[in-house]
Amino acid sequence: MTRAREMHLNAFLMGVGHHEAAWRHPSTDERRILDVRHYQELAQIAERGRLDSIFFADNVAVGPRVKRNVTAVFEPVTLLSAIAVATEHIGLIATASTSYNEPFNLAREFASLDHLSRGRAGWNIVTSGTEDEARNFGHETIPEHARRYERAQEFLDVVTALWDSWDDDAVVLDPGAGVFADPTRVRAIDHVGERFRVRGPLNTPRGPQGRPLLVQAGSSEAGKDFAARHAEAIFTAQRSLADGQDFYSDLRERVRASGRAEGDVAILPGVVPYLASTEAEAVALEREFTDLISPDYALGQLSRMLGMDLSGQELDAPLPPLPEEAAIEGAKSRFTLVKRLAETERLTVRELIGRLGGGRGHRSFAGTPEQLADDLELWFTHGAADGFNIMPPHLPGGLQIFVDEVVPLLQRRGLFRTEYGAETLRGHYGLPPVHNTRAGSLSTAR
């Protein structure tokens, strides 16, 4: 009997909530932003709901936001290591940039997290697209978009080779013979490329999964091609069912064209849920958060998304003319989403920043748990999603209500697991461990 298809659910966690004013709302405790126990408790809530994974985004610059909001205060691999010891099953996904890391260090960090969590690590691969990040690493401006993805490709090649520099059975641990590892099963990679020269092998043995789950979130043309070749989960921002269906079918076609099976990739659109016992109460809750937005901060965020200075822009006027996507070297997909939203709905700047306040372009939903369950089922059964990236606007309450009231509805409908059926993150996503395909092909380590 063929098993019924089930959703994948990831909790995208950020401070005390995804809404940019969450830390100002009375439902949250702003002091917990710097408390590791807060994040451990969030992971435990997600695990109670049998979610596949939690995820932390990251950037490597403060940028213009520090007066009003800082969304990524902890380096995510370090934070997830602390969470690993407080959880048993939930997958642990961290963002790390291919533009501002070295392959050896990154490969070792994620292999270490995979060991510490007993096979629950995932890497969200980003290329980074802001000027502030570039200047923290000695660059006057961000590298050209296409060049960033070329670097990402070679970077990933090196990282996967390093993970494969240890055979699956290289660690012997024979105290009687005094053998820790078989040196014939640990090999240099001797990579010499355009951007990297790395001898190897990695000095951390192969992790329980073989390699962490690979995640990608870019929706530009280059990003979608990269995701189709490599990603095993894709986080995306789609604001309507039709847009979700178009993205889903496009990615599926690219996956097939790359020679991979469709089941190798899970597509998870983001949703920011404002939930209450009635729809009117949920709409009012969303308005409470919108009313707390600081216009100067929101304009800084919008300027960053659109690549132009809007600091003096009149709030009740429309946006000034925007450039074409081809002129943007930063986050192309987010630029396109925001431009389309502003132009098709003829929004004023004030209206636009209100729409973006909860999820920076991700879809917001205000309603009851039953209505959200209906909505997620519609997307899941009508070719728009394999699951969802849940982005609570306030934490911990927004995650608690989702886990306690929405997840049981999905379970009763047979759309989501009632118990974990696997021990690893790859297992949660229906993927086997990755066995070493390079065994015997590389020179033995000295």
Side-chain angles (χ1 to χ4, degrees), residues 355-369:
R355 295 285 190 90
L356 299 174
R360 301 159 303 285
H362 287 273
R363 181 171 69 105
S364 293
F365 181 95
T368 67

Side-chain angles (χ1 to χ4, degrees), residues 202-416:
L202 197 64
N203 58 340
T204 301
R206 193 168 176 80
Q209 298 184 104
R211 73 174 186 212
L213 186 82
L214 299 181
V215 184
Q216 208 271 341
S219 295
S220 66
E221 293 302 303
K224 288 187 286 189
D225 284 341
F226 186 88
R229 292 193 304 270
H230 304 295
E232 292 154 326
I234 297 172
F235 297 155
T236 182
Q238 307 299 325
R239 295 188 61 87
S240 71
L241 177 64
D243 287 344
Q245 290 169 326
D246 289 346
F247 181 87
Y248 190 91
S249 61
D250 181 26
L251 249 297
R252 289 296 183 209
E253 179 56 38
R254 293 176 195 241
V255 168
R256 288 192 294 269
S258 72
R260 302 173 67 200
E262 289 188 21
D264 292 346
V265 183
I267 298 172
L268 282 69
V271 59
V272 183
Y274 298 86
L275 298 172
S277 57
T278 69
E279 183 177 351
E281 290 173 346
V283 171
L285 177 65
E286 183 177 17
R287 171 54 60 185
E288 288 178 15
F289 281 89
T290 300
D291 288 345
L292 291 173
I293 292 175
S294 302
D296 61 331
Y297 171 75
L299 285 173
Q301 287 285 85
L302 189 59
S303 297
R304 181 170 171 265
M305 291 181 193
L306 297 178
M308 59 191 301
D309 183 9
L310 298 171
S311 56
Q313 182 66 30
E314 169 59 44
L315 292 176
D316 293 311
L319 283 172
L322 299 177
E324 295 301 316
E325 180 187 311
I328 300 298
E329 292 297 346
K332 284 181 178 286
S333 58
R334 194 54 50 91
F335 168 85
T336 302
L337 185 152
V338 174
K339 179 181 179 181
R340 180 179 175 187
L341 175 63
E343 293 179 348
T344 58
E345 299 189 25
R346 299 182 179 180
L347 300 177
T348 65
V349 172
R350 189 186 305 277
E351 291 168 334
L352 181 59
I353 62 179
R355 295 285 190 90
L356 299 174
R360 301 159 303 285
H362 287 273
R363 181 171 69 105
S364 293
F365 181 95
T368 67
E370 183 88 30
Q371 288 172 325
L372 180 58
D374 292 343
D375 179 85
L376 299 184
E377 181 175 4
L378 179 68
W379 280 57
F380 181 68
T381 59
H382 284 70
D386 295 307
F388 299 92
N389 201 15
I390 305 301
M391 305 167 61
H394 58 103
L395 291 167
L399 182 60
Q400 287 172 326
I401 191 172
F402 181 82
V403 163
D404 293 339
E405 299 191 33
V406 180
V407 167
L409 294 172
L410 299 175
Q411 291 171 331
R412 286 198 287 273
R413 299 178 191 189
L415 296 171
F416 189 64

Side-chain angles (χ1 to χ4, degrees), residues 64-82:
R65 67 182 67 182
V66 70
K67 180 177 179 179
R68 302 295 188 185
N69 193 336
V70 175
T71 55
V73 295
F74 293 126
E75 189 283 312
V77 175
T78 305
L79 180 58
L80 288 172
S81 297

